[in-house]
Amino acid sequence: MATNEEKLKTIISHAKEYGFVFPSSEIYDGLSAVYDYGQLGSELKFNIKEYWWKAMVQMHENIVGIDSAIFMHPTTWKASGHVDAFNDPLIDNKDSKKRYRADVLIEEYIENKLRAKIEKEVEKAKERFGAAFDEAQYLSTNPRVVEYQKKIDEINARFKKALEDSNMDEMKQIIVDLEIACPISGTKNWTEVRQFNLMFATEIGSLAEGANKIYLRPETAQGIFVNYLNVQKTGRMKIPFGIAQIGKAFRNEIVARQFIFRMREFEQMEMQFFVKPGEQKHWYEYWKTARLKWHQALGLSDKKYRYHDHLKTAHYADAACDIEFEFPMGFKELEGIHSRTNFDLNAHQEFSKKKLQYFDPELNENYVPYVVETSVGLDRMFLSILSASYKEETLEDGSTRVVLSLPPFLAPYKVAILPLMKKDGLPEKAREIMDQLKFSFNCHYEEKDAIGKRYRRHDAYGTPFCVTIDPQTLEDNMVTIRDRDTMKQERVAVDQLERIIREKVDLSSALKKLV
Ligand code: GAP
């Protein structure tokens, strides 16, 4: 069985080999936690965005979309709390000069030193007891396992309190008490733990004008908050209504690993839903259910998703949860759903000195709406889809094939057009078919290599259909259509192709599952 690390490595190399994702500026050895999307990756990303946008904007009469600027007035970030509180606790090792997130060092200690031991004990017991093994009972009665679990609980309680109190001395003390060493130098020669702001800052204007510090936005949400009244008034929106946005966000992440899971430049798909005060709980539950349904409609396996309710919420939220996905590295946050109260609008009202109240014609009164937010990372969506679709299959003849069984409507190419040979009028006929289909689908024309090799290549791209044009086609206008998932080949008339392909790759079939 491949380890989590090996599984992720396989996805990373597949993504690179087939033009999905490349390390940024690779010829200069790359830039940590920054990635570029290649020719297939950008298509897949575009299709994910379309699925989200259509589901959120087009399918809801009371949700509209905007595209706000990355740069915003610096006071935005003071009001939102990001200048003062968007921090990670950092610690440096004095010998290796390497910088770490203190909370991650502690979490990794728990994972690698304690949880790994529990897993090992369970594996051994499984082998020993076979089918009679009762894992739940074993976990609660085996003295060694109980001891490890007790230690995990103790560390977690201490760690949680230190985080809540922003007690950096206690955070350092936990690292010292657990005797955590730097993985590079092997020493325990640590600095104090300090808070480090995650926003990237730059300057706007020339020096002559007097430069001003501004930030690259760390979330797209604030562009929605500051525009909410513009949209409400010009769009004549009535509460409850939503504003959606897809765009780049930037965070100076210190722990930059796990491929496109945690990046310094990434994309978010966020929607703020403005509701009457007091109705936020209802809408929070509504969006929690609706967003899980959106993920599950991809058909990647319902078991790969779970909710993680936040027991302790941020100061501005009265409820929050994550939708977690089983990535190659285990279950991790994919999307956040937050009931943000009226914190952001109130803060902007206070800092801007502009009224941000909504006049409710039904109640005949003004109020600052409450907000329920749904926020999903586009790059995390990409990784979840890529990793769940990647399969290595052993075929009947003993050979293996790598196939990306992407949801067909998300596939970069919908159909490959493949003349069997590069002669006898087959390329011309193939081009003629391509010219008919390219108005409806992203097609890929290929005439190089044996047909089997071309099929395998398109399996690895995730192309749902391959259409082969052979000498018989010139006589009867029939082609062979091969299905990526079943590998079944069928002879069909050229004028049936559009219908057959559309039935499988049409985005509206996924959207219909949502209503
Ligand atoms: N406006 C709310 C907000 O930004 P968040 O939980 O910090 O909340 C929302 O981020 C989502 O954005 C996450 O669930 C994740 O999918 C994505 N995300 C956050 N930081 C990221 C990073 N460094 N790299 C990639 N995606 C990230």
Side-chain angles (χ1 to χ4, degrees):
M1 257 283 267
T3 62
N4 287 353
E5 207 172 310
E6 286 161 353
K7 281 190 222 160
L8 184 61
K9 270 194 185 154
T10 306
I11 299 301
I12 297 172
S13 61
H14 188 86
K16 176 144 188 250
E17 186 177 348
Y18 292 99
F20 284 91
V21 183
F22 306 123
S24 159
S25 32
E26 196 186 6
I27 56 167
Y28 297 105
D29 296 332
L31 183 64
S32 174
V34 185
Y35 289 89
D36 296 337
Y37 287 84
Q39 67 281 12
L40 293 194
S42 50
E43 291 286 345
L44 175 54
K45 211 173 163 199
F46 177 83
N47 295 339
I48 299 171
K49 285 194 223 182
E50 191 187 18
Y51 174 46
W52 185 85
W53 191 267
K54 288 204 162 157
M56 299 300 276
V57 178
Q58 209 165 305
M59 306 270 296
H60 292 92
E61 283 178 37
N62 59 349
I63 300 182
V64 290
I66 64 163
D67 183 10
S68 71
I70 285 170
F71 291 135
M72 298 182 72
H73 192 284
T75 312
T76 309
W77 306 110
K78 191 78 191 146
S80 67
H82 284 83
V83 170
D84 296 320
F86 195 50
N87 299 321
D88 272 347
L90 295 191
I91 188 165
D92 292 1
N93 182 270
K94 290 183 194 162
D95 300 317
S96 68
K97 313 272 184 257
K98 278 273 168 200
R99 179 164 288 178
Y100 299 91
R101 257 176 68 178
D103 53 335
V104 172
L105 281 181
I106 298 169
E107 278 164 7
E108 283 183 347
Y109 175 90
I110 293 175
E111 225 30 68
N112 303 336
K113 298 271 176 199
L114 298 170
R115 243 187 263 291
K117 281 190 179 137
I118 296 180
E119 274 167 27
K120 219 168 171 182
E121 294 283 345
V122 170
E123 280 311 311
K124 274 199 292 190
K126 264 187 193 158
E127 268 174 38
R128 198 158 7 115
F129 298 117
F133 180 63
D134 179 344
E135 187 167 333
Q137 199 207 359
Y138 183 80
L139 289 175
S140 60
T141 54
N142 179 280
R144 269 195 305 270
V145 170
V146 170
E147 196 51 38
Y148 292 139
Q149 190 55 51
K150 197 170 143 217
K151 183 127 199 243
I152 292 175
D153 294 343
E154 278 168 13
I155 300 170
N156 270 335
R158 238 181 114 183
F159 171 47
K160 194 166 161 244
K161 179 142 183 18
L163 273 181
E164 276 169 14
D165 300 346
S166 285
N167 186 344
M168 298 301 115
D169 293 342
E170 170 66 353
M171 198 82 100
K172 160 97 188 261
Q173 197 53 49
I174 298 174
I175 291 172
V176 172
D177 292 349
L178 295 177
E179 300 185 4
I180 296 175
C182 166
I184 310 281
S185 66
T187 71
K188 297 166 199 151
N189 193 8
W190 297 108
T191 62
E192 297 310 305
V193 177
R194 300 170 323 284
Q195 293 281 27
F196 173 85
N197 194 283
L198 293 183
M199 281 196 296
F200 283 103
T202 184
E203 287 173 352
I204 196 162
S206 66
L207 281 178
E209 283 172 29
N212 260 320
K213 184 173 173 183
I214 56 163
Y215 299 98
L216 297 184
R217 67 180 177 199
E219 62 170 9
T220 59
Q222 298 303 326
I224 294 179
F225 286 124
V226 299
N227 275 300
Y228 117 91
L229 267 192
N230 283 338
V231 174
Q232 187 272 319
K233 290 207 166 111
T234 55
R236 290 176 295 127
M237 310 296 289
K238 279 211 182 98
I239 270 183
F241 71 90
I243 305 179
Q245 163 155 242
I246 300 177
K248 290 262 183 175
F250 304 82
R251 295 182 190 178
N252 198 359
E253 300 281 2
I254 296 306
V255 177
R257 282 170 314 174
Q258 301 178 327
F259 192 37
I260 54 174
F261 181 81
R262 195 177 302 286
M263 297 158 89
R264 295 201 163 111
E265 175 180 342
F266 58 100
E267 242 171 304
Q268 290 184 314
M269 304 191 285
E270 297 200 298
M271 192 274 302
Q272 317 298 129
F273 201 67
F274 299 86
V275 306
K276 209 182 278 178
E279 292 190 352
Q280 69 273 21
K281 191 86 197 123
H282 162 77
W283 288 111
Y284 170 72
E285 292 302 333
Y286 171 89
W287 283 110
K288 214 175 139 175
T289 309
R291 293 302 304 148
L292 182 63
K293 210 167 162 190
W294 180 87
H295 288 285
Q296 289 174 337
L298 289 171
L300 298 176
S301 161
D302 290 0
K303 282 194 292 203
K304 287 198 165 281
Y305 301 91
R306 71 180 187 199
Y307 289 120
H308 170 239
D309 292 309
H310 293 199
L311 298 178
K312 184 182 180 298
T313 50
H315 57 287
Y316 54 78
D318 63 7
C321 77
D322 299 332
I323 293 177
E324 293 188 338
F325 182 80
E326 193 177 13
F327 287 97
M329 316 78 80
F331 272 98
K332 301 227 174 255
E333 175 186 342
L334 173 61
E335 169 152 9
I337 295 134
H338 314 120
S339 175
R340 285 178 82 131
T341 68
N342 54 2
F343 172 86
D344 301 83
L345 291 180
N346 270 344
H348 287 305
Q349 193 166 248
E350 189 190 321
F351 277 78
S352 69
K353 312 254 180 307
K354 308 265 168 25
K355 277 212 163 13
L356 294 179
Q357 290 184 331
Y358 165 80
F359 175 72
D360 191 324
E362 280 166 25
L363 300 178
N364 201 24
E365 70 178 53
N366 288 302
Y367 56 78
V368 175
Y370 271 47
V371 173
V372 175
E373 162 185 80
T374 72
S375 175
V376 58
L378 176 54
D379 311 271
R380 285 193 194 174
M381 271 309 293
F382 188 106
L383 181 58
S384 70
I385 292 164
L386 196 66
S387 56
S389 303
Y390 179 91
K391 294 188 181 116
E392 288 173 18
E393 293 179 350
T394 307
L395 304 180
E396 274 172 14
D397 64 2
S399 64
T400 54
R401 76 158 181 158
V402 168
V403 58
L404 269 192
S405 48
L406 295 169
F409 64 93
L410 295 182
Y413 298 129
K414 303 295 188 256
V415 53
I417 309 285
L418 313 173
L420 191 60
M421 294 168 301
K422 260 197 277 182
K423 55 180 186 181
D424 300 338
L426 299 189
E428 290 75 13
K429 181 68 185 170
R431 290 264 177 221
E432 190 189 304
I433 295 172
M434 170 113 171
D435 285 343
Q436 283 170 27
L437 295 178
K438 72 182 180 192
F439 294 99
S440 308
F441 313 111
N442 196 19
C443 308
H444 191 235
Y445 177 88
E446 268 210 305
E447 53 185 31
K448 196 171 174 292
D449 293 325
I451 195 73
K453 209 164 173 191
R454 281 181 272 168
Y455 285 160
R456 286 287 184 276
R457 196 150 56 226
H458 275 278
D459 286 342
Y461 294 166
T463 310
F465 291 112
C466 288
V467 166
T468 307
I469 294 90
D470 57 28
Q472 186 68 27
T473 309
L474 303 182
E475 286 168 30
D476 59 9
N477 213 27
M478 306 271 280
V479 288
T480 302
I481 185 163
R482 172 186 180 271
D483 183 290
R484 173 197 70 194
D485 302 321
T486 60
M487 289 189 287
K488 265 213 191 117
Q489 301 188 14
E490 233 188 307
R491 204 75 191 153
V492 303
V494 168
D495 60 12
Q496 293 299 308
L497 278 177
E498 169 135 10
R499 180 189 55 78
I500 296 170
I501 298 165
R502 188 177 297 287
E503 265 170 21
K504 185 145 177 182
V505 307
D506 198 11
L507 167 58
S508 57
S509 56
L511 294 174
K512 279 178 191 153
K513 289 189 204 161
L514 304 177
V515 288

